Amino acid sequence: MSKLTKIVIAGPRGRMGLEAVKMVTGVENFQLVGVIDRINEGKNLSDVLSSVTDNNSKVYTDIAVCLQDTKPDVLIDLTVPEAAFQHAKTALNYGVRPIIGTTGMSQAELEELKMLAKDKQLGCIIAPNFAIGAVLMMKFSQMAAKYFTDVEIIEMHHDNKLDAPSGTAIKTAEMIQVQREAKKQGHPNEVEKLQGARGAEFDGMHIHSVRLPGLIAHQQVLFGSTGESLTIRHDSYDRASFMTGVKVSVETVMKLNEYVYGLENILD
């Protein structure tokens, strides 16, 4: 029988957090030992979430107390950037491996987590997107950028998303940058009649963010060349699509002793 991996989830009442609770409680060798929430201190998870009927994990509002009491192996954080950064730091300081699916942390914060993970010799995974298809979209886009140097990214998310552009769009641009020489796209004398019409600029590429109710997470990468174009697109229609990547991350982080940014770096 495989050794149980003890897990704490931060943000269990959010839409992604609830999916993570379902995933963790449904995997035989995962054990949900506690959750971190802004409210509901001391309650059982089954009293807070009507969909969870057979789990008596305790709800904590203080992450330090939670980690001391439950002694987990892994923290899964699906909250907001400010909380996620502090949660990851606290987890590493308590010898717990963090998996962060929250985007919007600054480069300085990511660098601090990288150095702390190195100092503690602990695995730490930061993933802008846990959907396997989205990771493949990013990898395929990086491959295409070797041959198509003109590219624009359109990312589309629900209207409650806090950060723009999305972490996935930024990560895609970073991966393309590795293959593509910097190039300013569009007419050299281009004029925006409305500010922001051309979107955000990254290394000469343009990134456009769409926020609408009814969407979940969608992105297309458009490449153009003489006489042809190439579009690489990924759509998540349900947040359950992210849970395969979360499961892989839990299994992988237990074998790591370093920081990893991006799910593509742990997939075979």
Side-chain angles (χ1 to χ4, degrees):
M1 181 177 176
S2 301
K3 179 181 179 295
L4 280 177
T5 301
K6 297 168 65 177
I7 299 169
V8 163
I9 294 174
R13 290 183 298 111
R15 286 170 290 189
M16 279 282 286
L18 181 57
E19 291 296 336
V21 168
K22 293 177 185 176
M23 184 276 291
V24 169
T25 54
V27 175
E28 185 177 0
N29 60 321
F30 289 177
Q31 181 183 9
L32 184 63
V33 294
V35 297
I36 301 164
D37 194 6
R38 292 183 295 104
I39 56 176
N40 298 310
E41 170 68 32
K43 292 184 178 181
N44 288 336
L45 183 60
S46 55
D47 296 328
V48 175
L49 298 177
S50 58
S51 58
V52 179
T53 57
D54 58 352
N55 187 284
N56 292 319
S57 299
K58 186 177 175 182
V59 178
Y60 294 84
T61 55
D62 187 316
I63 184 173
V65 174
C66 177
L67 300 183
Q68 289 170 13
D69 285 359
T70 61
K71 296 178 173 53
D73 301 299
V74 173
L75 166 73
I76 299 173
D77 187 286
L78 301 163
T79 58
V80 296
E82 299 80 8
F85 175 61
Q86 293 300 328
H87 288 168
K89 281 179 61 176
T90 304
L92 288 167
N93 282 319
Y94 274 89
V96 177
R97 293 167 166 82
I99 295 171
I100 309 298
T102 305
T103 61
M105 283 188 280
S106 70
Q107 199 58 47
E109 289 172 333
L110 294 174
E111 188 63 28
E112 185 174 343
L113 293 179
K114 180 178 181 180
M115 297 307 295
L116 185 57
K118 181 178 180 181
D119 180 60
K120 299 292 183 180
Q121 291 289 287
L122 286 171
C124 171
I125 295 176
I126 313 289
N129 199 315
F130 282 112
I132 302 299
V135 175
L136 292 173
M137 170 197 62
M138 290 187 274
K139 290 175 77 74
F140 295 158
S141 297
Q142 185 180 46
M143 292 168 60
K146 183 177 180 180
Y147 306 98
F148 291 82
T149 57
D150 289 88
V151 53
E152 303 213 3
I153 298 169
I154 303 173
E155 57 93 352
M156 298 154 281
H157 285 79
H158 55 89
D159 57 340
N160 288 317
K161 185 170 178 58
L162 293 173
D163 56 316
S166 68
T168 300
I170 294 172
K171 179 63 175 175
T172 304
E174 290 172 344
M175 291 175 65
I176 289 172
Q177 184 183 35
V178 174
Q179 288 287 1
R180 169 189 177 274
E181 289 188 17
K183 177 183 179 181
K184 186 170 177 60
Q185 295 175 189
H187 194 283
N189 298 320
E190 184 177 72
V191 176
E192 285 186 325
K193 291 185 176 181
L194 291 176
Q195 186 176 0
R198 292 289 287 122
E201 188 174 327
F202 181 96
D203 203 39
M205 293 176 268
H206 291 271
I207 304 175
H208 310 267
S209 296
V210 176
R211 298 290 177 267
L212 288 172
L215 298 176
I216 299 293
H218 317 263
Q219 180 171 296
Q220 54 186 17
V221 187
L222 290 80
F223 295 91
S225 187
T226 305
E228 64 176 329
S229 66
L230 171 67
T231 300
I232 300 173
R233 177 170 177 138
H234 175 262
D235 298 275
S236 281
Y237 301 108
D238 191 302
R239 289 172 177 83
S241 66
F242 303 114
M243 291 305 113
T244 302
V246 176
K247 179 176 180 290
V248 169
S249 295
V250 172
E251 294 167 343
T252 304
V253 79
M254 293 299 297
K255 306 169 188 174
L256 297 176
N257 60 359
E258 60 184 348
Y259 166 101
V260 171
Y261 180 73
L263 202 64
E264 72 280 0
N265 294 305
I266 66 172
L267 296 179
D268 294 331

